[in-house]
Amino acid sequence: NAGVTQTPKFQVLKTGQSMTLQCAQDMNHEYMSWYRQDPGMGLRLIHYSVGAGITDQGEVPNGYNVSRSTTEDFPLRLLSAAPSQTSVYFCASRLHRSTDTQYFGPGTRLTVL
Amino acid sequence: GDSVTQMEGPVTLSEEAFLTINCTYTATGYPSLFWYVQYPGEGLQLLLKATKADDKGSNKGFEATYRKETTSFHLEKGSVQVSDSAVYFCALSDPTGGFKTIFGAGTRLFVKA
């Protein structure tokens, strides 16, 4: 049982490049989400999904796309990287209900030059 | 909309001191409340939670009580250790808020030996 896994751990991009951050969980959780963590701002929700085939926007969705074709995987795509997207990105999952604990991946540190 | 406000850090304490980190929230429904902890270089992990008013969550010597009348969920520990040095996040999850979890900005705790 690996929990929530994220790849890569570190990434450096140039402005305008695109890339996909991978996230997978093996706990059969329905709910998955992506957050970005910036100094002094806590975690801000980018996108989330309540099940395969269903996604919705969080508070900072611009510049990011997601899809949920399987229960296990929830990739985050940066369409055209900008320096403002330099951040640490965390994927999280929970079983379903709002009372359930969220489990976080180890994070991806992204730098956009 | 829903929001969480935490006391600003960093908080610096000596070993065996008493810890309080204040957290207040705004929510339209009846949220579940959480404290997550982030150790250096890691993702967040659940510390404790409470799902209804007057519930007390506790774990590893930490406690927090869900106070609906004051919309608060303050984190306390009677005697901190150096190993408690981390960033602590208060969070809420409101079933009327579309399954989203909202995090506070985080409070960094340093404990000196």
Side-chain angles (χ1 to χ4, degrees):
Chain A
N1 190 330
V4 180
T5 58
Q6 289 183 240
T7 56
K9 201 165 177 59
F10 300 95
Q11 183 70 48
V12 179
L13 293 177
K14 294 181 180 177
T15 296
Q17 287 184 315
S18 63
M19 79 159 296
T20 299
L21 307 185
Q22 300 293 343
C23 174
Q25 54 90 9
D26 61 359
M27 297 173 282
N28 204 30
H29 286 174
E30 293 185 37
Y31 180 94
M32 296 185 74
S33 53
W34 277 101
Y35 294 89
R36 58 178 290 173
Q37 183 179 28
D38 301 295
M41 302 189 74
L43 277 76
R44 292 183 293 169
L45 182 65
I46 305 171
H47 285 284
Y48 66 99
S49 168
V50 298
I54 306 170
T55 63
D56 206 347
Q57 296 181 351
E59 56 181 309
V60 289
N62 292 341
Y64 307 95
N65 270 356
V66 292
S67 60
R68 184 95 180 270
S69 56
T70 66
T71 299
E72 294 78 18
D73 300 300
F74 191 45
L76 177 73
R77 297 182 191 84
L78 279 70
L79 308 173
S80 178
S84 60
Q85 294 178 303
T86 294
S87 187
V88 180
Y89 291 85
F90 288 101
C91 180
S93 73
R94 70 173 190 240
L95 186 58
H96 180 67
R97 297 170 303 173
S98 61
T99 54
D100 295 328
T101 300
Q102 283 207 97
Y103 294 86
F104 285 81
T108 294
R109 184 173 293 276
L110 175 69
T111 302
V112 183
L113 303 175
Chain B
D2 295 350
S3 66
V4 175
T5 303
Q6 292 180 234
M7 62 186 290
E8 289 191 24
V11 174
T12 302
L13 296 174
S14 297
E15 209 165 21
E16 299 184 2
F18 184 85
L19 169 71
T20 299
I21 300 177
N22 291 336
C23 171
T24 57
Y25 69 90
T26 303
T28 52
Y30 298 92
S32 296
L33 302 174
F34 305 82
W35 277 101
Y36 285 85
V37 59
Q38 184 181 32
Y39 298 103
E42 298 182 10
L44 280 71
Q45 56 186 277
L46 180 72
L47 181 60
L48 54 83
K49 69 178 181 182
T51 58
K52 61 183 187 296
D54 299 324
D55 269 1
K56 177 186 282 188
S58 61
N59 185 27
K60 299 181 181 179
F62 291 89
E63 293 183 341
T65 301
Y66 188 165
R67 301 282 188 204
K68 195 170 187 333
E69 64 276 14
T70 54
T71 61
S72 64
F73 192 55
H74 304 321
L75 182 68
E76 296 182 336
K77 186 175 186 184
S79 176
V80 294
Q81 306 299 313
V82 172
S83 57
D84 294 327
S85 297
V87 182
Y88 293 82
F89 292 91
C90 186
L92 73 81
S93 189
D94 187 345
T96 65
F99 300 96
K100 290 180 275 191
T101 300
I102 307 297
F103 287 84
T107 302
R108 184 175 294 277
L109 170 66
F110 292 104
V111 180
K112 302 181 297 184

